[in-house]
Amino acid sequence: MICTESPEQTDKRIDLMLREMVVEEGLSAFEANRELKVYTLQEMADYIGVGYKTLWDIEKSALNKFKKNMLQLGIKNGNTGI
């Protein structure tokens, strides 16, 4: 049987796997009393089983949404940045 994911299911799976990666690293670093490891996009893509380009596109989209939200927040608070 072949199972296919909807785009929403794929996004949710990727989000959950990235959260798991962060939690596992945080617990491991805490237990070993060491600094957190910084992962590359390639390492994260390998961990969750997607291509580098897919994860790069997700990162780019998230940063654009963040920027848009921050700009809207600044405008709502009367800060035009000028």
Side-chain angles (χ1 to χ4, degrees):
M1 178 168 73
I2 298 175
C3 296
T4 58
E5 291 180 321
S6 69
E8 293 81 19
Q9 290 170 320
T10 300
D11 289 348
K12 186 174 182 176
R13 178 179 55 82
I14 290 172
D15 182 58
L16 290 172
M17 291 186 78
L18 288 172
R19 288 174 188 258
E20 178 183 331
M21 184 179 190
V22 169
V23 170
E24 285 183 7
E25 173 56 24
L27 290 173
S28 177
F30 179 75
E31 289 174 353
N33 195 28
R34 63 170 171 78
E35 293 292 319
L36 290 171
K37 180 181 187 315
V38 177
Y39 290 96
T40 65
L41 277 178
Q42 186 62 58
E43 289 172 319
M44 290 187 286
D46 292 344
Y47 183 85
I48 61 176
V50 299
Y52 170 86
K53 176 80 167 81
T54 300
L55 194 56
W56 184 80
D57 288 340
I58 292 168
E59 179 189 43
K60 184 177 174 182
S61 174
L63 289 173
N64 285 336
K65 287 178 185 178
F66 178 74
K67 180 179 178 181
K68 178 182 173 186
N69 288 337
M70 293 305 292
L71 289 172
Q72 287 177 344
L73 181 62
I75 290 169
K76 287 179 186 174
N77 291 328
N79 181 3
T80 60
I82 299 174

